[in-house]
Amino acid sequence: ETLEGLLRRAEEADSIERLEDLKGRLREVGLRLPRERLERAPMQKGGPRIFQSADGLDILVGRSDKGNRRLTFTIARGNDYWLHVRGWPGPHVVLRKPPAGELPQESLLDAAHLAVHFSKIRDADYAEVDYTQCKYVRQLKGAAPGKVGLARASTFQVRIEPDRLRRLLEG
């Protein structure tokens, strides 16, 4: 009942201020908005690095094997996109799913650049990067924490653009 009432109030809100007022009520009933969960993650030791793509989407980059596992299987949502440099050790990278529509190619390239930059081949001119939606990433039984199996994955070659990487790291 409470949630239905809050939903009605949100639908009837005629300004951002009224929606902001609802946040407090959501917290009172024990709910957190997705963005608030994301913003808390880096405060925890070993939390993912957070970057923003040219299209304004969040890109999360794991810091360790355990951090990769946490990012992929706890923080990421099923429709988010998962990336990793093919055949090399490196971070799991999660690109948040856009609110509506198709995945922007610029955001995918931004996430791929970060995957390469934080991997063992960070100084390469180009690399192959695998990607799929997070719901198609599975933990491998008995494997090390960062090892995963993929379904419905695609691979693309990324030629590193220094200006793009600089924008991501400085932004």
Side-chain angles (χ1 to χ4, degrees):
E1 260 180 56
T2 303
L3 291 177
E4 287 175 359
L6 289 170
L7 178 60
R8 271 193 306 278
R9 287 176 56 194
E11 289 171 343
E12 295 167 358
D14 57 359
S15 68
I16 296 293
E17 291 77 24
R18 291 194 186 222
L19 287 173
E20 289 292 327
D21 292 341
L22 288 176
K23 280 186 182 180
R25 182 69 180 121
L26 286 171
R27 285 187 202 97
E28 288 173 16
V29 297
L31 295 176
R32 297 287 180 261
L33 299 173
R35 186 79 174 174
E36 291 173 330
R37 287 196 314 260
L38 175 65
E39 289 171 355
R40 280 199 327 259
M43 300 302 179
Q44 299 171 1
K45 185 177 181 183
R49 296 174 179 94
I50 301 175
F51 300 90
Q52 199 160 58
S53 75
D55 301 300
L57 300 176
D58 288 327
I59 302 171
L60 291 76
V61 180
R63 295 177 188 262
S64 65
D65 287 345
K66 288 181 183 178
N68 284 340
R69 180 175 29 187
R70 182 172 165 267
L71 172 60
T72 301
F73 300 109
T74 304
I75 297 172
R77 296 182 291 259
N79 288 326
D80 291 340
Y81 288 85
W82 180 93
L83 297 92
H84 190 277
V85 174
R86 184 181 191 109
W88 289 90
H92 291 191
V93 175
V94 170
L95 173 60
R96 290 292 194 193
K97 181 190 176 297
E102 294 293 315
L103 176 67
Q105 291 300 309
E106 290 300 311
S107 291
L108 188 61
L109 281 171
D110 285 350
H113 273 69
L114 291 170
V116 173
H117 177 74
F118 289 104
S119 75
K120 295 289 184 186
I121 59 166
R122 77 183 302 164
D123 295 325
D125 291 332
Y126 71 93
E128 290 186 333
V129 176
D130 292 329
Y131 74 100
T132 188
Q133 286 186 291
C134 291
K135 62 187 169 187
Y136 301 120
V137 180
R138 299 284 179 253
Q139 292 187 64
L140 298 176
K141 196 172 193 175
K147 301 291 182 190
V148 296
L150 305 177
R152 300 187 187 188
S154 298
T155 303
F156 65 101
Q157 285 194 354
V158 179
R159 183 165 303 282
I160 303 304
E161 302 169 36
D163 291 338
R164 179 186 299 268
L165 190 56
R166 192 174 310 111
R167 174 184 49 81
L168 287 162
L169 295 173
E170 292 174 357

